[in-house]
Amino acid sequence: SQKIEQNSEALNIQEGKTATLTCNYTNYSPAYLQWYRQDPGRGPVFLLLIRENEKEKRKERLKVTFDTTLKQSLFHITASQPADSATYLCALERNYGQNFVFGPGTRLSVLP
Amino acid sequence: KAGVTQTPRYLIKTRGQQVTLSCSPISGHRSVSWYQQTPGQGLQFLFEYFSETQRNKGNFPGRFSGRQFSNSRSEMNVSTLELGDSALYLCASSAPGTGRQDGYTFGSGTRLTVV
């Protein structure tokens, strides 16, 4: 069956450290994988997209990798700040032209 | 530019009633998707509309329906509400053909509580 898993439900790290979040999927062959941030009571906010033929994508303090052999994407936040505390969701395209499916999310807490 | 607007923000309904939620996408966005979010199931896809036509549909019972108007505004309706329908309902819009590449813009959602 198709499944998306994110490494842990919650992750606590110290301010200034690098946070690494994992997204693993089974029985999907996505051409695109997206990462979103969601704050409590709000809708998700799009952060980054990576294509199947891209190994790595960066945007400011954010970095995403995509390994289609391992069926895994890693999401890194460097020099993390308390303001980065939120739930982070990965999403991938179910099939070409079809809807995106979301992982369960990882709740990140950056401690001062 | 204005974001995705969802109304109402909060709603309390009684079991057995029906409810209609509204979503106004970003100007120029013609694709609207609806998601249900609950603590146990996460974000679950309901349906997607493009140019007034349903393009994709998730695995929800027929009590969940939607439509899109010529101005791209969308509504979703849930009939015969059940306690398990309590959730945050999110609407997302995208410009034609770009959602997969540029991401989706979500509204703040409608928090539905069924009592």
Side-chain angles (χ1 to χ4, degrees):
Chain A
S1 65
Q2 294 175 316
K3 197 188 303 185
I4 306 173
E5 294 175 310
Q6 294 191 239
N7 54 329
S8 56
E9 197 173 310
L11 182 65
N12 296 328
I13 63 165
Q14 281 305 126
E15 183 176 5
K17 300 291 187 184
T18 296
T20 298
L21 285 64
T22 305
C23 175
N24 293 295
Y25 56 93
T26 308
N27 291 327
Y28 286 105
S29 298
Y32 297 86
L33 191 145
Q34 302 177 348
W35 283 89
Y36 289 79
R37 167 189 172 134
Q38 186 174 24
D39 291 288
R42 313 291 294 182
V45 174
F46 173 73
L47 294 174
L48 273 174
L49 169 138
I50 188 163
R51 295 175 175 79
E52 61 179 342
N53 60 352
E54 296 176 319
K55 295 291 186 193
E56 182 180 297
K57 201 78 163 286
R58 290 176 185 261
K59 180 182 176 183
E60 298 171 356
R61 294 184 296 112
L62 308 180
K63 184 177 86 171
V64 173
T65 62
F66 193 10
D67 189 326
T68 55
T69 302
L70 290 179
K71 296 188 182 300
Q72 180 182 79
S73 175
L74 298 179
F75 178 80
H76 306 273
I77 305 175
T78 58
S80 59
Q81 305 165 359
D84 294 326
S85 299
T87 295
Y88 291 86
L89 304 153
C90 66
L92 50 87
E93 192 175 42
R94 192 158 61 92
N95 279 303
Y96 182 84
Q98 294 192 337
N99 60 281
F100 273 73
V101 288
F102 283 78
T106 295
R107 189 172 65 251
L108 174 68
S109 295
V110 181
L111 309 173
Chain B
K1 58 183 177 183
V4 177
T5 303
Q6 291 189 247
T7 56
R9 191 80 171 85
Y10 301 94
L11 205 49
I12 299 176
K13 288 286 189 179
T14 304
R15 201 168 38 175
Q17 287 186 313
Q18 75 161 14
V19 67
T20 299
L21 311 182
S22 178
C23 171
S24 293
I26 288 175
S27 177
H29 284 193
R30 286 161 51 199
S31 172
V32 173
S33 299
W34 287 90
Y35 287 83
Q36 180 198 65
Q37 187 173 35
T38 59
Q41 298 297 317
L43 266 164
Q44 300 286 311
F45 173 74
L46 282 155
F47 25 66
E48 178 191 8
Y49 285 88
F50 177 75
S51 292
E52 302 178 65
T53 301
Q54 188 180 85
R55 193 157 64 171
N56 288 301
K57 188 177 189 307
N59 294 324
F60 278 80
R63 300 185 297 108
F64 291 82
S65 62
R67 59 178 175 169
Q68 187 179 33
F69 302 95
S70 58
N71 63 357
S72 294
R73 190 177 71 86
S74 177
E75 288 181 347
M76 67 161 281
N77 183 277
V78 188
S79 61
T80 320
L81 284 165
E82 300 176 359
L83 296 178
D85 297 333
S86 295
L88 181 66
Y89 289 88
L90 290 159
C91 163
S93 77
S94 65
T98 66
R100 55 205 300 260
Q101 300 178 55
D102 297 334
Y104 295 88
T105 303
F106 282 83
S108 292
T110 293
R111 171 73 64 186
L112 172 65
T113 303
V114 182
V115 297

